Amino acid sequence: MSQPVLTDHTDPPRDQGAILVLALVLSVVMSIIVLALANFSSTGLRTSRVSTERTERTAASTAAVYFTIEQLAMSEPLACPVNSTLPTAANPGDVGVTITCVQPAPGASPMTFEIVARTDDGHPAGVVTAAVEVRDEMAPPRSVRVSDWVSGD
C-alpha cells in the first residue's frame, strides 16, 4: 500500500486582502446609515421642543382669556378686571401672560368686551383675542357669550 502524497496547496495571491476591502465598504455604509438616523432623531427632538413651547404659550393665553371671562361673569359692578396679569395659580405654564380688556361701546346692552391675552415673550402662538357679550341686567354669575375667538396659531 502506498501512502497518498500530500502536496502543498496555496491560494493565489489575488484573493489576499479582499476581506479587508469588503469590511471597509460595509463599515462606511453602516456609518452613513447611523449618521442619517441620528440626524433624523435630532430633528424630531427639536421639532418636539418647538411644538411643546407653542402649545404651552397657546394654553397660557387661552387660560388668561377664560380667567378674564370668569371675572366678567362674577364682577360687581360689571367691568373689566383691574388686574392685567394672569395669576400664577391660573397659569398652566411658566410663561407670563398680560391681559388687555376693553369695552369698545359702553352702555350697549348686552355689554361687549374685547379681551386680548399675550404672552410676555411675544411668541405669535401666545396671542389670543376674544370678543364677549355679557348680559348686564343679570346678577352675578352673568351669562357670557363668546362672539369671536382668534388664536395666534
Side-chain angles (χ1 to χ4, degrees):
M1 285 208 186
S2 71
Q3 296 268 341
V5 177
L6 297 174
T7 57
D8 191 17
H9 184 31
T10 60
D11 290 335
R14 62 185 168 87
D15 286 342
Q16 290 179 349
I19 194 71
L20 179 64
V21 173
L22 184 61
L24 183 63
V25 168
L26 199 58
S27 297
V28 168
V29 169
M30 292 300 287
S31 297
I32 290 172
I33 291 171
V34 167
L35 286 174
L37 288 173
N39 189 25
F40 178 75
S41 296
S42 68
T43 301
L45 290 173
R46 280 192 305 263
T47 303
S48 175
R49 181 182 52 82
V50 169
S51 178
T52 300
E53 288 176 358
R54 182 179 188 88
T55 302
E56 185 178 74
R57 274 134 184 89
T58 302
S61 294
T62 302
V65 170
Y66 285 140
F67 179 78
T68 306
I69 290 172
E70 178 69 20
Q71 294 297 311
L72 285 171
M74 300 303 288
S75 68
E76 188 63 50
L78 178 57
C80 283
V82 177
N83 192 0
S84 64
T85 58
L86 182 64
T88 308
N91 193 343
D94 60 349
V95 181
V97 180
T98 303
I99 305 163
T100 307
C101 180
V102 178
Q103 185 179 6
S109 183
M111 296 177 85
T112 305
F113 296 90
E114 294 285 331
I115 304 167
V116 178
R118 185 181 319 271
T119 55
D120 294 342
D121 63 357
H123 196 283
V127 179
V128 175
T129 304
V132 297
E133 296 174 355
V134 182
R135 304 292 304 247
D136 59 334
E137 65 271 2
M138 300 174 67
R142 295 180 185 88
S143 173
V144 178
R145 182 177 84 84
V146 178
S147 59
D148 189 29
W149 185 281
V150 179
S151 183
D153 54 335

